[in-house]
Structures are given as C-alpha cells and as structure tokens.
Amino acid sequence: MRHQNAIVDHQPNNSSQTTRDMRKTQDTLPPYLCGFGASMANIMITFPINKLMFRQQLFGIRYKQAFHQLYQEGALTLYRGLLPPLLQKSASVAVMFGLYHHCERALIHQLSPLHVTVVAGMIAGTCEATFTPLERIQTLLQDPKYTKTLRNTTSAFAQISSEHGMKELYRGVTAILYRNGPSSAVFFTLRNPIKDRVRPVEEQQGKLMTCVSDFISGSAIGALCSTLFFPVNVVKTRMQSQLGGEFVSFSATFRIIFKERDRSWRKVYRGMHLNLVRSLISWGIINTVYEILFKSYKRMSTEDD
C-alpha cells in the first residue's frame, strides 16, 4: 500500500517535469520559426534587386550595365540561383533571431544589458557562418560565367564536392565571419532603442501604424549595417566567385580589388546605392514580418493558457 502511494505521489512530478520541458521547447522554437518565415518573405520579394547588385559588386559596373546584362539573359534566368539564398538566408535569419534570444536568456543574469546584447548578437552572427556553402553556391550560380557548367543548386553541390572537395564550399568564410558577427551585434544593439523612438506607445497605435514603425526601424538598422559592411561584401563576392585554384586571403583579395579600382573608395562602394535600397526594403520586411509572426504566437499561447 505504501509502495502504491509512492507511485501515485511520483506521477505528478513526472507530469510537471514534462509540462516544463514542453513549455521550454515552446519558448525556444518560436524565434527560430518566426525568423525563418520573415526571411522567406523577404527573399522572394528582393531577389531580383539582390541579383542586380551582385553584378555591380562582381564586375564594378554601373547599375544600367548590370540591368542590361540581366535583361539580355531573359526573364527565365532572373530567379536562377534562388534556392540557395532561400535556404541559406532563411536558415541564417532563423539562427540569428533564435540563437540571440537563447543566448540573451542564458547571459541575462551574468552581464550588463548592453554586454548581453553585444555578446549574444556576436555569437548568433558568428554561428550563421555554418551556412557558408549555400551562400557560396548562390554566388557561383549568379555569376554568368558558370551558367553552362553549373546547372542548378543540387548539381553545383555535387560537382564542386567531387571535383574540388568540401573545402571549396567554404571559400570566403573569413569574409562572412567578419561581416556576420559584428553586423548582428550592431542590429540587436540598435533594434530596441530605435524601435522605442519610432514607436512611442504601442497600445495607442493601430496595427497598421505598428507595422509601419517596425518597418522603419528595421529599414534604418539594415541600411546602416549594409553600408558599414559593404566593402566586406565586395571582397566576399570576389573570393567566392573563384572556383578552384589558390585560396586567397581576405586582405590580399581586398588589395587586388582596391588596385583594380584605381585605389578609389568610390569605386569600391559602387553598387552601394542599390544595396542601400535593397537593405531598406529587405530588413524592413524581415523586422515587420518577424514582429507579426512572433506577436501572433504570443497571442495564441496566451489564449491557450
């Protein structure tokens, strides 16, 4: 009888532990899922602009020349190379938001709020480099000289892996590390302060005004980060546009580009205006859709409780 009571007494503990585990999972997953969904919406809208900017970065040409190249290639090739950024960027943004929130909770009682934001942002951004192979494939598929040799994402992965080895898929990873960690730290450090200035009291606003303020705050931070790290992206594009051969360092690649462009920072920043427009739209969409999805989840979880 005593043994039966012990079993009965023990059952609620197991139940409460299971409930706590489920609650922990429910609290952990939403930032990842919301980040993934927000990025997918963004990529589908901004991919053509990104492709135009890529041509400017790679060849150092004006946007009219880049537009003429894409126009001559035809509408069917406009979304060529969409799958890698759709997977890579969506997974990357999912990791950025999800891992940031995870690290923030882990560090909140150990560091000051500012240090928590910076460290969590750096960790989240650095871990995004895991998806370098997808960004690498995207770069090659967007380069017109590989149009005939690399047909699609799957064949590109198979061909590069078999002919050059897995290391080739991580060409340019140093540039991605230089870009992702610091830019994520800047994004999360400025996100709440700018949001508070743009959006005074959320309860006093309608849904439309809330979305507009989310879009403006995301756009402002995205434009700032993309402008600050634009030269890093130029170097990354050059590093990843090479297939096979010697692995040239980040600094050596930058020196080559700087010399080719007559040691002119203006020419290094060629394509920056288009990049600014893309970032304004892109991060505005990501921030707005993320907030919509995350608030919807919180509202549904509150109703369930």
Side-chain angles (χ1 to χ4, degrees):
M1 187 72 176
R2 192 180 305 162
H3 179 65
Q4 290 176 345
N5 288 338
I7 294 175
V8 171
D9 290 342
H10 186 64
Q11 285 176 346
N13 291 333
N14 288 337
S15 177
S16 61
Q17 180 64 42
T18 303
T19 303
R20 283 196 298 270
D21 291 342
M22 289 177 63
R23 176 66 65 182
K24 188 175 180 181
T25 302
Q26 289 174 351
D27 291 340
T28 302
L29 280 178
Y32 289 94
L33 297 177
C34 294
F36 192 88
S39 185
M40 284 194 74
N42 161 60
I43 292 295
M44 293 298 295
I45 295 169
T46 62
F47 185 77
I49 302 174
N50 185 67
K51 195 164 190 177
L52 194 64
M53 184 193 68
F54 168 84
R55 293 293 175 89
Q56 286 191 272
Q57 288 181 341
L58 183 60
F59 301 118
I61 57 179
R62 297 185 181 277
Y63 77 91
K64 288 183 179 179
Q65 293 172 280
F67 180 82
H68 184 66
Q69 281 186 1
L70 295 179
Y71 180 78
Q72 285 196 318
E73 290 170 16
L76 292 176
T77 63
L78 184 61
Y79 275 87
R80 172 181 158 84
L82 172 66
L83 186 58
L86 194 64
L87 296 175
Q88 178 266 327
K89 192 63 180 175
S90 298
S92 180
V93 173
V95 167
M96 186 182 91
F97 279 104
L99 199 55
Y100 170 79
H101 283 286
H102 181 81
C103 293
E104 186 185 38
R105 286 197 302 270
L107 298 170
I108 195 69
H109 299 299
Q110 302 177 39
L111 301 170
S112 68
L114 177 60
H115 288 151
V116 167
T117 303
V118 173
V119 172
M122 283 290 293
I123 292 172
T126 301
C127 289
E128 289 178 62
T130 308
F131 305 106
T132 295
L134 288 169
E135 192 165 350
R136 170 85 166 109
I137 296 297
Q138 175 195 353
T139 301
L140 293 172
L141 289 178
Q142 288 184 341
D143 192 331
K145 70 184 177 188
Y146 298 113
T147 300
K148 295 181 179 179
T149 54
L150 301 175
R151 296 192 309 276
N152 53 47
T153 303
T154 307
S155 66
F157 264 114
Q159 186 175 331
I160 293 169
S161 300
S162 62
E163 294 180 6
H164 303 280
M166 291 298 293
K167 185 180 178 182
E168 186 67 35
L169 292 171
Y170 285 88
R171 189 186 288 269
V173 69
T174 50
I176 290 173
L177 287 169
Y178 291 154
R179 179 196 65 190
N180 285 12
S183 63
S184 293
V186 171
F187 179 83
F188 286 112
T189 301
L190 297 179
R191 189 167 180 252
N192 286 333
I194 291 180
K195 189 187 294 185
D196 292 340
R197 284 184 174 275
V198 175
R199 182 173 59 197
V201 182
E202 189 168 312
E203 287 75 10
Q204 296 178 4
Q205 297 188 61
K207 290 183 179 180
L208 178 60
M209 287 307 298
T210 300
C211 288
V212 169
S213 59
D214 285 333
F215 187 89
I216 292 171
S217 59
S219 295
I221 304 168
L224 174 64
C225 290
S226 66
T227 303
L228 286 174
F229 296 97
F230 186 80
V232 180
N233 258 337
V234 172
V235 176
K236 185 219 67 128
T237 299
R238 174 63 68 87
M239 292 174 76
Q240 292 194 326
S241 66
Q242 180 183 342
L243 183 57
E246 181 187 357
F247 277 74
V248 184
S249 69
F250 179 90
S251 57
T253 304
F254 174 77
R255 286 195 297 269
I256 292 169
I257 293 171
F258 199 55
K259 185 178 179 181
E260 285 178 354
R261 301 189 184 181
D262 304 322
R263 302 188 178 277
S264 168
W265 279 103
R266 184 178 179 181
K267 290 183 178 180
V268 171
Y269 268 90
R270 183 165 283 171
M272 189 267 289
H273 298 93
L274 190 59
N275 180 63
L276 190 64
V277 172
R278 182 193 63 84
S279 297
L280 284 167
I281 299 170
S282 180
W283 283 102
I285 293 170
I286 289 173
N287 202 46
T288 304
V289 175
Y290 178 86
E291 290 292 338
I292 290 171
L293 293 176
F294 195 69
K295 286 171 190 172
S296 299
Y297 159 74
K298 287 172 73 175
R299 186 167 57 251
M300 287 189 295
S301 61
T302 302
E303 290 172 359
D304 289 342
D305 292 339

